[in-house]
Every structure is written in structure tokens, then in C-alpha cells.
Amino acid sequence: MRTRHISVIGHVIGVLVIWIGLMYPTSAAQASWLDRVKDIYQLPENVEQIQKDYEATKQQLEEQKDKLSETIRHSQETEEKLLQQNEALQKENERLQERLKAMEQVAIDKENRSRKITNMVIAVVVLVVLYFVLGRVFRYVVWRRQKRQMR
């Protein structure tokens, strides 16, 4: 009898545990077994939607990849053009610098030539003036000698 009494108490405790478990509210984040069954039956629909989303995303990525490739190609072409322009401008700069040096040298040569011509003109003028002065001095000396001799 005692074992039967213990057995009944065990059954009562088991029933109470099950009853409390069923009465205890589940958290809102957990899905019940019924929701899980519904999700299983809706799974093909979800798979199709996921597949469509995957394809759309894949298409967008391909378009972005194509745009990126085009942008890279365009930037490489632009870079090549800019490098060519840079080289052309450097050559033009070097040519202009050589031309500037040549013009500076011409200016220096012209200035030197002008200075030489000026110096030669001054020398000629000085020689002409000296010639006239010496001629007058020579005539004066000759005149004085003649005057002394005449006396």
C-alpha cells in the first residue's frame, strides 16, 4: 500500500508539473510548435522569396561590378591622357626654357656689343679732340718759335 501511495503521489506531482508547465506563459520571442509547423509548410514560399531576393542582389552586384569596371577604365584613360599632357607640357617647358636662355644670351651679347660700340665712339671722339688739341698746341709751339726767331 505504501508503494501505491507513493506511486499516486508521484503521479500527482507529475500531473502538477505538466499542468504548471502548460499554465506558465511562454516568452514572446519563442514560437510555439504550431508556428513552427506553419513555417515548415510555408518554407517553399520563403525559399522562393529568398531565391528572388538572391537573384535581385546578384543582379545589382553585377551591375555595380560593371559600373565599377567602367569607372576604373575611364579613370585609367584619364590618367593616361593626363600623363601624356604632363609629358608634352614638360617638353614645352624645357623648350621654352632653352629659348629663354637663348634670348637672355642674345640680350647679353647685344649689351656687350652696345658697350663696345659706345667705347669705340668715345675713343674716336677723344682721339679727334686730341688731334685738334695737339694740332693747336703744335701750331702754337711753331708760332712761338717763329716769333722768337723773328725777333
Side-chain angles (χ1 to χ4, degrees), residues 42-54:
Q42 291 177 355
L43 190 61
E45 225 176 77
N46 291 342
V47 169
E48 288 176 10
Q49 182 61 36
I50 291 171
Q51 185 70 26
K52 288 178 184 177
D53 291 345
Y54 171 76

Side-chain angles (χ1 to χ4, degrees), residues 25-42:
T26 58
S27 65
Q30 295 179 348
S32 68
W33 64 273
L34 185 59
D35 290 335
R36 289 184 187 162
V37 170
K38 286 180 182 178
D39 285 343
I40 290 173
Y41 285 113
Q42 291 177 355

Side-chain angles (χ1 to χ4, degrees), residues 61-71:
L61 287 174
E62 285 296 322
E63 290 173 1
Q64 288 179 354
K65 180 182 172 186
D66 292 342
K67 287 180 183 178
L68 182 61
S69 297
E70 181 65 24
T71 303

Side-chain angles (χ1 to χ4, degrees), residues 79-102:
E79 182 181 7
E80 288 176 14
K81 287 179 186 177
L82 290 175
L83 287 174
Q84 290 173 353
Q85 285 178 351
N86 190 22
E87 288 177 16
L89 289 174
Q90 282 180 343
K91 288 178 183 178
E92 181 70 16
N93 189 20
E94 289 173 2
R95 189 178 65 79
L96 289 173
Q97 292 226 354
E98 289 174 4
R99 190 172 173 192
L100 179 65
K101 285 180 184 178

